[in-house]
Each structure stands twice: as C-alpha cells, then as structure tokens.
Amino acid sequence: MSYTIMNESGAARLPRAVAHALTYTGAVALGLAVSAPIEQAVAAQGDQSLETVIVTGSRIRRTDEGALPVQSITQAQIQSQGVTTSEQFLQTVSIAVQGNSNTVSASGSGVTSGGVSSVSLRGLGSQRTLVLIDGRRVAGGGTITDSTSVDINSIPLAALERVEVLKEGASSVYGSDAIAGVINFILRKNFQGADVNAYYGDSERGGGDVTKVSAVLGYGDIKSDRFNVMLVGSWQKEKPLFGRDRSFSRSSINVAAGNDGTSGNTFPANVASEDGTVDGNPNAPDCAPSVTDPFFSPGVCRYDPSPEVALFPEAERWSVYGTARYAFTPNITGYLEASYSSNWMEFTIQPVPLSDQFVLPPNNPLFNLAPYNGFATVLLTPTSPFYPTAFATGQSGATPDLLVRYRSVITGNRRWTDQINQPRFVLGIGGDSGGWNWDVAGLYSETKLTEDFKNGGPAYSQILPLLNSGQVNFFGDNTPDILAAADATQFRGRAYSTTTKIEGVAGSVSKDLAKLNAGPLALAFGLEYRKESFNTDPSAAIQSGDIASYGGNFFPIDRSRNVYAAFAELNIPIVQTLEANLAVRYDDYEGTGSKTVPKISARWKPLDWLLFRGSAGQGFRAPSLSELWQPQVTGVSGSGLNDPERCNVVDANGVLNQDSRDCATQFPITIGGNPNLKPEESDNYTLGVVFEPSADYSFGFDGFYIKLKETIIFGVNPTAILTDIGRFGDLVTRGPPEVATPGLPGRIINIDQVNLNFGETKVAGVDADFRARFDIGKAGALTASIVGTYFAKYEIQNPDGSFDSILGEVSPITNGAGGVIPRWHHYLTLGWNLGPWEATIAQNYQTSYHDLPGNATDPPITRDVASYLIHDAQVAYHLENWRFAVGARNFTDRDPPYTNAGGGLNFFQAGYDPGYADPRGRFWYGQLSYSFAGGK
C-alpha cells in the first residue's frame, strides 16, 4: 500500500516519511477536535516546504515521524480493494485488525447482535478498540446487550480521506476503550469539485451481489474564499446468500472432523417416553425435510439448520454527510459537521424448536402449569389421531404419553429486520492566538437500533397449548385450520429498540513553548466532558420471555453517567536526534471511579535512514453501561452441544444414555450484567526500529506487549465450558438426579454466562512493514508492500490463577480475549502503473490454528483449521476525468477452511468462520468514477 495523501486544494499534504506510513507521532492528545487545527496548522505555515500536521495519537503538531506506529490507508487504496463497506475494508487492508475476533453482520444469524459489524485490534475485542471519526468518539451500541461496540458499517467510505490505525494502547490520549489501539476515520476536508462513483459486483456462483452509488460535492476554498461546504451521499444494496448456496456451509455434519451441529428437534418430530422405552422417529429413515445422520441411529431424524441460515443478510445502507467551514479571520475558523446514516438488514434462520429441552423463563405464564413445569414441553397422548400407535407398541408394547421434540415448520422460518440509524453533529471553533493553537468543539452522537420480527416467532403461551391439543400432526401435513391457528400465535412487530448517546464538549490548546537547539519544546493540554447514556425498550412480549425465537427475556435499561477528563502532554527535544514525550490523562467515570494513566515515549534518529522508537504506558477501560446494568436473563446456547457427564455415559443399570436432552442439543444459559465489575487496567509497551535506506525502500519492525488486568468478559462460551468441564464446572447448574438415569448427575438446567472480571490477559508480538518502489522505465513503475503481525504470546488466566495459551486456538472466552488468534497474518500488495493504466494484486494470508475438537465421537477427533490464503486483483484505466476499473476478489475462488467452531462460537454459521472469511468465493465487480476539481 502506498501512503501518498492527496492534496485537495489546501488540505494537509503529509511529508515523505509520513507518506511512506512508517510512523506517526504517538504522543498524547485529547483527540476530540482534529479537523480545524489541521487546516489552521497548514495555513500558519504558508508556503514553507514542510507542513505541520496532527495525526492520530497527538495534539502536538510536527513535521516528521513520531514514536508510535500508525498505519495509514488512503481513499485510493480503499478503492483499489474493490470493497464497499468498512467491515470488508478493515478485514482486507488493516493487518493490525484480527478480523476473526470481531462481530460481522453475518454473525447476526441467531444472536442478538443487531446486525452490528465491529472491529478488534490485537484480538482484544471491539470493546477495547476505540473507533473515532476525525478524532472524536462515535456512539457505540446498536445491540440490546452492548453499549460500546461501534457499527463500522455506518461509516461511509465515500466520505473518507484516509484511515489511521494506531497500533498501540492510547488511554493516555483518549481515555477508556483504547487499550488495544485506535482506528480513526478521517473525513475529507476543504474538498472542491465532484466525485461520483458507481459499483456493481456479483459472485461467480451466485448470491451476495452488491450495487452501490456515491457522490461527493464540494465548493469553496477555506484559504482563498474563507469558506468551504461539502456534501457526501451514498446508497448501497446487498442481496442475501444462504448456507444452501455453498457446498462448505450447507450441512452441519462433518464426518471427517467428527463434528455434528444438527438438532434433535425435528420435523417429522422425534418422540420419547419418560421411562425411555420409546425413543425415535416414526417416519425414519424417511426424514425429509430433516435428515438421517451417520452419528445417530437410523431410527431417529436430525434437523440440519445450515441450509436456511443467511451467510450474508439482505441489506440496504444509505448515508449523508455534510460539513461547512468558515474562516472568521485568517487565524480563526468555525465548523459544523452533520451526518446521518441508516443500515437496514434482514436475517433468516431455521424454524424455532419447541420441546421439553428448552427452559421457560420463570415469569412466563406457563411456567408453573402442567405439563410444562418450567419447560416448553410438548406432550402427545394416545387420544390424538396422530399418535404413532404402531411405533410406540413396537418399541415398548404399550402406548405411553410421548414427549415430542418438534421443529415448528407450521410457523415457518424465523425472519427479522434490524434498522440502525446514526445521527451525528459536531459544532466547533478553533484557531491560533498569541502563539497558542486552540480548539473548542461540541459533539452529539447517537446510535438507535430497531428490531422488527417478521415471522417464525410464536408466543409460548399460545403455540404450546395448540401443540398439546392433540390436533397437530407432527409427522406430516396439517389442515388449513391448524396452519391458520399456528400463524395466529406468531409475534410480529417491534421486538425492541436501543438508543446509545454521547453528548459532550471538549477544549484543547497547544503551543511551542521554546525553540531549543534540538527542536521546539511543545505543550498541549485540555479538558473534556461528556454524558454517556444507554436505553433499551423491549416490547412487553419480549420482557415476558414468551417469544420462542428469543430463547429468553430482555428487560429495559435506562442508564447514564457523566465523564470528566483532563490531559497534558509535553514533547521534549533532548538532543538533535533524540526526543521524549511525557503525557498523563485523568478520567472520572460517575459510579465507577477515577483513573490517572501516564505514558512516556521516545524516538532516536541517529542517522537520516535509521529510527528507533519506543513507549511505555498504562491504560484502563471503565465497564460499559451494558456490562454493568444489563439485566440477567435466561437464554439458550448454540446447537449441537453435549453434556459430558450424561451424554454417551452408561448409567447404573448399564444403559448408554443418548437422550436428546443431553446430546447434540441446546442448553439454557444465563446472560447479563454485573454491577460489581471492576475497571480493566493495562500495561502497554512498544519498541521498534525503522530503516529507510532510500526514498524507494523502507523496513519497519515494532514489538508490542500488553498486560491486561481484571479482564471483563461476557461469560465463558458454553462450547468451551462443556469441552473442559473440569475447568469450568462451577459455571454449570444441574437439576436433581433422574430416576430414568440412575447413577448419573442431574440434567443441566443452566450455564452461567454473566459478565465477570476474569483475571489477566498477556499479549506480545511483532508488527512488520516492508515497502518498495521500482522504476522500470518505459514499462512504468512497480510498488510492493507487505504488512504483517506475528504473535509470540497470547495467554489468559484461569480461575485458579494459572495461565493457558490461546495462541493459534479457538478462544473459550466470549468477547473477552476474543476469537481466534493466528500466529501470523499478513497482507501483501503488488502494484503497477503506466500512464493512465494501473493494476493491483493483493494477498491476504493467515496461518492455521487448532480447531475445537469434534463433538460427535468419543474420543473426540482433534484437528487443525487449514491456513487461509486468498488473492484479489484490479485493473483500472483513467481517461481525463473518468476512471474505469474491473476486478475480482478471491480470484482463485478458494473456499474458507472448515472449522468446527463455525456453528459453536458463531452459533448457526456452520462449516467456516464468518469473522474473517468471505463465503461468496470469486466475486467479480466493476467500478465507474467521474471526478473533477472545482472551486470558485
């Protein structure tokens, strides 16, 4: 990737060292007001050859590279990747981002993610990665359980000038949430003219096609005209892709891996008697639309959800962004920024399961009634015309009441929509007075999510009496009257809404205090106030826990807090080649307490082509409002789980227990907040070296070490708990032993997944950066770059105080340590240009890692997930103001590597990890752009 920043009629042009993106200054900043000071800094320098700029991580202006590693990506580079959303861009371009430890829009299949796409630096989770727009915070949230994670797909790519990724903890700069680093989306400024783009792409195998149009219009030059106005608009439509559309995702059964993600709640239904004398399916082996399963007896049917799951949801996204700037004097500029984005997504998954395997919330109207008694029990008696008499008597010689494990095809597939709306406003003024650069800005940012349920969510209190009436055929077609009665039980309409807000004001000043022989002694300091709020409004039906699809209940939250902060930064030139930076920030979180975090960084440049840099600092993260106050509620785990103490275990009578309530099923879980959470704290260190022997070559290596203490996690994943019951057994609650299985412990009635402080996390590794440019004469010019991250350590602390490495493993911690941490991950690009022609080939590579063990064999099969290597390509041609481009993403058409974790850690996604793999395969696209420079 090249890092030349386009000079848009007065906007900042970065110097050569910065343009090579080796480093940026890494001191301390309030970071709330960036845009105006950048312009003022440039104006103050006039026509000097070196311009001072402010970049992510500092409020002190400078002309050269700093002490912390910052990766910068331009608008041109984004276009060369053929991506259309920030989610795709960050997975593909920013190697510091471990994409498979975040949440993507596809993760919304079967979970309450609200369709949010988040991003995670260092694999430490989205809650520890601070996302900024022009140095200012963005309201997170958008889910009913998360007030922190920012939906990056709400940030319009068309409005971006560049993106800067600070790969270093920055709590001393920005306060809480920046333990892992910062991603700063920097929008275009002082733009004159027009830039119109159209894009269409489709996968070669069909499904997931994308249409997008965007436009940028700007008028006025802040330097010559004293004003600038700009308007950016974009619209995008994405078609869905389902599991059935790809061979690697259309089945949850993998014999070679010994893994099974199917369910025993089927249509036609499986049945069982309480005494165990009847167990199976009257229709077997004729199981359609369910399946027979090699891991189970041919006498039972299994339901495979994978074909019905949306790998890519249907989506429509639009946004508008406007800005106005006016120079009251040559040294004072006022500015107004306003934006509104809207993301709409529709998700589809399999019909809801209904049986005694699922716990009813205690406040459900049926909880204490027979035959339910706390479970969603469906009982078929011999008086029903659909009772399978021959089947029952053939197994037991009698006709006992039968427990029905049913997949509710009479209410259809579950389907819901998520709408995320984000208004955002900034009003500020800044300038230079008496040698002080100053800025004051107010911010309002809001994220509002609305989830509407469309189909497939029957109310327990209505559907269960119908299913227990004896009039429903669980093994074949039903009459129109029964279908109409089932449809009448459905919940449709507003399920819940959430609103997350940030309202605040901040002021900062900076000045060169003295001109020393080694350089300027520079100072920056400032103050910040903001109010954070989080509100959820679930419908009455969702609060009652009566809607089958939600697997539990959610209660309202209405919480807010005030945050006060102050910071100071001092840049000290020691000798001509050596400087140090001292910084400190104080934050006071209402209800949580205060924290002061210091930082020191240094850079030594003994030669023009050699730079050494390093830093040491502390960080912290206050528990979010949702982590603290989310009500504790009952839900259900992902499917295909086994109780290791009951499933395939011989009881005291010598009978092998394979009860579908214990094997390859879902278990009740408790999720929610914890008001007793402590703040997280961290120690952060970096040490690096940069070689730049010429303007055409550069090499950079930066080591990093992070020690996170009092790690807040969103519960240990049920898959990991049941895989290692000895380690996590305290999180499992069982009922009393059952007569039917003497000698075995009681059934699992709850798995605890509430938020908790989980000890320490230790992360260490090296970032590598190599870039080169080759002039090949009349054949044009070649560029090459490779940016990679090598992890040497990733350890998490156990409840007993010991540490386990999860490096190259599927992490057992949900949103804590975060997903899969590959040992090596790189992004390589090769570019060529000649006159109006340009071409790019890119490679994205990740090493293999250890998979979760299979769940369907004893002993389980252990395996590795294969390494993942994909290639993208684009060819473009410039004709006057036009740019024509065609390209292919994943042009080798490589399928994602298989992983058992696809249907476990990512719920209903099976066969692959949606966090970093694009299931579309080879994807062709075309781009058409028209640009012209304008002005007055």
Side-chain angles (χ1 to χ4, degrees):
M1 295 172 282
S2 63
Y3 287 84
T4 302
I5 309 298
M6 297 180 65
N7 185 12
E8 297 178 327
S9 303
R13 187 187 73 245
L14 302 185
R16 178 177 56 82
V18 178
H20 278 281
L22 296 175
T23 65
Y24 286 110
T25 199
V28 166
L30 177 66
L32 191 69
V34 170
S35 55
I38 288 179
E39 294 167 358
Q40 293 146 10
V42 174
Q45 294 298 315
D47 296 325
Q48 296 179 23
S49 60
L50 289 179
E51 299 165 340
T52 59
V53 295
I54 296 173
V55 295
T56 304
S58 181
R59 286 295 291 121
I60 292 178
R61 299 181 307 230
R62 61 186 304 141
T63 62
D64 58 0
E65 64 269 33
L68 295 180
V70 175
Q71 180 179 346
S72 182
I73 306 97
T74 67
Q75 173 67 231
Q77 292 170 287
I78 295 172
Q79 287 193 16
S80 72
Q81 301 308 316
V83 297
T84 59
T85 66
S86 295
E87 172 191 310
Q88 296 172 351
F89 155 62
L90 288 171
Q91 287 177 346
T92 305
V93 177
S94 185
I95 196 64
V97 177
Q98 301 304 318
N100 48 343
S101 62
N102 63 5
T103 300
V104 297
S105 56
S107 302
S109 295
V111 296
T112 52
S113 74
V116 168
S117 295
S118 62
V119 65
S120 169
L121 283 170
R122 303 296 187 211
L124 283 170
S126 59
Q127 69 275 34
R128 299 180 194 93
T129 300
L130 184 60
V131 175
L132 305 173
I133 296 178
D134 276 342
R136 304 175 179 91
R137 287 179 176 257
V138 184
T143 87
I144 201 168
T145 58
D146 182 0
S147 63
T148 302
S149 299
V150 173
D151 180 29
I152 56 173
N153 279 343
S154 295
I155 301 173
L157 290 182
L160 297 181
E161 176 185 300
R162 66 185 185 276
V163 179
E164 293 179 350
V165 181
L166 174 61
K167 299 181 285 187
E168 160 67 13
S171 291
S172 59
V173 181
Y174 302 105
S176 182
D177 307 339
I179 284 177
V182 179
I183 300 177
N184 191 7
F185 292 84
I186 298 174
L187 305 180
R188 304 189 195 207
K189 300 171 186 69
N190 204 36
F191 178 82
Q192 299 119 48
D195 190 351
V196 182
N197 291 272
Y199 175 104
Y200 178 76
D202 196 3
S203 61
E204 187 170 291
R205 288 180 270 176
D209 59 296
V210 178
T211 303
K212 181 178 181 178
V213 293
S214 64
V216 184
L217 305 174
Y219 183 70
D221 185 346
I222 194 69
K223 293 176 65 177
S224 60
D225 302 322
R226 299 180 59 186
F227 77 92
N228 176 261
V229 292
M230 184 179 69
L231 184 67
V232 182
S234 66
W235 173 85
Q236 180 169 325
K237 180 71 173 179
E238 303 167 21
K239 295 294 182 64
L241 179 72
F242 291 93
R244 58 180 174 269
D245 298 327
R246 295 294 183 266
S247 60
F248 56 83
S249 60
R250 65 175 56 124
S251 176
S252 297
I253 304 169
N254 190 301
V255 175
N259 199 64
D260 194 303
T262 64
S263 169
N265 296 275
T266 64
F267 175 79
N270 291 319
V271 295
S273 61
E274 285 280 10
D275 61 7
T277 58
V278 178
D279 189 6
N281 196 299
N283 286 35
D286 184 11
C287 291
S290 297
V291 299
T292 56
D293 191 324
F295 293 114
F296 290 86
S297 163
V300 300
C301 297
R302 302 290 296 179
Y303 188 84
D304 191 342
S306 298
E308 307 301 323
V309 172
L311 307 183
F312 267 97
E314 183 177 358
E316 185 171 6
R317 315 176 194 275
W318 63 268
S319 65
V320 60
Y321 167 78
T323 181
R325 287 175 166 77
Y326 182 76
F328 295 102
T329 74
N331 295 321
I332 298 177
T333 300
Y335 52 95
L336 170 67
E337 299 173 3
S339 64
Y340 191 93
S341 65
S342 179
N343 282 351
W344 174 92
M345 287 150 286
E346 181 173 273
F347 296 91
T348 302
I349 60 173
Q350 68 276 9
V352 69
L354 294 165
S355 75
D356 61 313
Q357 296 179 339
F358 302 99
V359 176
L360 295 175
N363 63 335
N364 190 278
L366 304 180
F367 186 80
N368 291 314
L369 301 179
Y372 312 110
N373 299 319
F375 295 89
T377 304
V378 179
L379 203 61
L380 187 61
T381 67
T383 60
S384 170
F386 303 109
Y387 185 88
T389 302
F391 177 78
T393 56
Q395 287 199 358
S396 69
T399 56
D401 292 348
L402 298 177
L403 295 167
V404 180
R405 282 71 188 261
Y406 180 56
R407 182 67 51 171
S408 186
V409 295
I410 57 175
T411 52
N413 281 347
R414 285 169 279 182
R415 184 168 56 88
W416 67 94
T417 62
D418 288 320
Q419 179 89 35
I420 302 174
N421 296 325
Q422 284 192 322
R424 189 172 182 273
F425 304 93
V426 176
L427 180 63
I429 187 171
D432 287 286
S433 302
W436 289 90
N437 178 258
W438 56 273
D439 190 87
V440 179
L443 167 69
Y444 177 88
S445 182
E446 176 183 303
T447 299
K448 184 168 185 179
L449 163 71
T450 301
E451 183 158 296
D452 289 305
F453 214 83
K454 302 296 184 181
N455 192 74
Y460 283 125
S461 61
Q462 299 177 52
I463 191 68
L464 289 178
L466 176 63
L467 297 180
N468 280 282
S469 68
Q471 302 305 306
V472 176
N473 184 358
F474 299 109
F475 315 106
D477 295 335
N478 279 278
T479 66
D481 289 343
I482 291 296
L483 295 177
D487 191 67
T489 71
Q490 300 222 47
F491 169 78
R492 293 188 173 99
R494 181 68 47 85
Y496 66 85
S497 64
T498 72
T499 304
T500 308
K501 295 180 183 178
I502 296 177
E503 303 164 89
V505 62
S508 63
V509 296
S510 64
K511 179 182 176 64
D512 289 349
L513 298 177
K515 298 292 185 180
L516 306 179
N517 290 334
L521 177 68
L523 172 70
F525 61 87
L527 301 171
E528 177 184 358
Y529 162 77
R530 69 179 183 272
K531 181 179 181 180
E532 302 175 346
S533 60
F534 182 53
N535 173 274
T536 68
D537 184 22
S539 67
I542 298 297
Q543 292 185 49
S544 72
D546 198 33
I547 308 306
S549 182
Y550 284 86
N553 48 10
F554 296 96
F555 297 108
I557 305 173
D558 190 0
R559 294 282 179 171
S560 63
R561 64 185 175 192
N562 296 311
V563 182
Y564 301 90
F567 81 92
E569 171 191 358
L570 185 64
N571 201 69
I572 308 170
I574 301 172
V575 295
Q576 192 70 38
T577 60
L578 177 66
E579 69 177 39
N581 187 280
L582 306 176
V584 64
R585 180 176 171 118
Y586 169 85
D587 285 85
D588 186 353
Y589 277 76
E590 182 183 11
T592 297
S594 61
K595 183 67 178 176
T596 300
V597 288
K599 186 170 189 175
I600 181 171
S601 59
R603 62 184 295 274
W604 179 41
K605 195 170 185 180
L607 301 170
D608 289 341
W609 53 270
L610 180 62
L611 170 69
F612 296 96
R613 60 190 177 192
S615 68
Q618 295 179 343
F620 85 103
R621 185 177 78 88
S624 69
L625 292 172
S626 56
E627 288 171 337
L628 291 166
W629 302 112
Q630 184 73 37
Q632 295 185 6
V633 297
T634 300
V636 293
S637 70
S639 59
L641 302 184
N642 298 325
D643 179 351
E645 296 188 0
R646 287 182 56 87
C647 178
N648 292 317
V649 178
V650 177
D651 64 22
N653 293 329
V655 178
L656 182 67
N657 176 44
Q658 292 183 319
D659 194 316
S660 57
R661 294 173 294 180
D662 303 313
C663 301
T665 187
Q666 295 168 279
F667 293 106
I669 60 175
T670 298
I671 58 175
N674 182 352
N676 298 316
L677 289 174
K678 303 174 185 177
E680 297 180 337
E681 298 179 1
S682 70
D683 296 322
N684 297 66
Y685 304 92
T686 66
L687 183 63
V689 59
V690 179
F691 305 91
E692 192 175 9
S694 75
D696 294 329
Y697 301 94
S698 65
F699 309 82
F701 302 93
D702 288 280
F704 59 88
Y705 176 81
I706 303 170
K707 181 180 179 180
L708 180 64
K709 294 165 281 190
E710 299 294 349
T711 309
I712 298 172
I713 68 170
F714 300 164
V716 182
N717 188 275
T719 302
I721 291 173
L722 298 176
T723 300
D724 193 350
I725 201 72
R727 178 181 172 192
F728 298 114
D730 290 343
L731 301 177
V732 175
T733 301
R734 298 183 178 275
E738 298 186 345
V739 174
T741 53
L744 300 184
R747 288 172 56 198
I748 293 175
I749 59 174
N750 186 63
I751 297 176
D752 189 350
Q753 277 196 279
V754 299
N755 303 337
L756 69 157
N757 292 100
F758 202 69
E760 295 183 354
T761 302
K762 299 178 182 179
V763 181
V766 178
D767 293 322
D769 188 318
F770 165 74
R771 303 175 193 280
R773 183 185 183 277
F774 307 93
D775 189 343
I776 52 178
K778 294 183 179 181
L782 298 176
T783 58
S785 72
I786 181 168
V787 184
T789 297
Y790 176 84
F791 279 94
K793 174 184 290 189
Y794 209 118
E795 296 179 344
I796 58 174
Q797 194 169 25
N798 298 318
D800 62 4
S802 63
F803 282 86
D804 277 348
S805 173
I806 62 167
L807 185 57
E809 307 279 349
V810 179
S811 169
I813 308 301
T814 302
N815 287 331
V820 177
I821 310 300
R823 188 170 291 277
W824 170 255
H825 187 186
H826 77 240
Y827 188 75
L828 181 151
T829 59
L830 299 174
W832 169 80
N833 63 76
L834 175 64
W837 290 95
E838 62 182 48
T840 303
I841 296 178
Q843 180 189 87
N844 200 337
Y845 174 77
Q846 175 177 286
T847 53
S848 64
Y849 59 89
H850 296 303
D851 201 2
L852 287 178
N855 63 6
T857 61
D858 188 18
I861 296 174
T862 58
R863 63 181 305 276
D864 289 340
V865 177
S867 60
Y868 188 47
L869 177 67
I870 60 173
H871 296 86
D872 305 330
Q874 184 185 101
V875 176
Y877 179 77
H878 296 262
L879 179 62
E880 295 181 345
N881 295 332
W882 294 90
R883 181 181 185 268
F884 306 87
V886 294
R889 301 193 66 203
N890 190 6
F891 65 78
T892 59
D893 201 25
R894 177 164 182 177
D895 285 341
Y898 174 81
T899 171
N900 293 332
L905 297 184
N906 290 290
F907 285 82
F908 296 114
Q909 298 284 359
Y912 80 109
D913 185 341
Y916 70 87
D918 187 334
R920 292 176 299 184
R922 185 181 293 122
F923 185 86
W924 297 98
Y925 65 87
Q927 292 176 315
L928 177 63
S929 304
Y930 179 78
S931 303
F932 70 89
K936 200 170 179 180

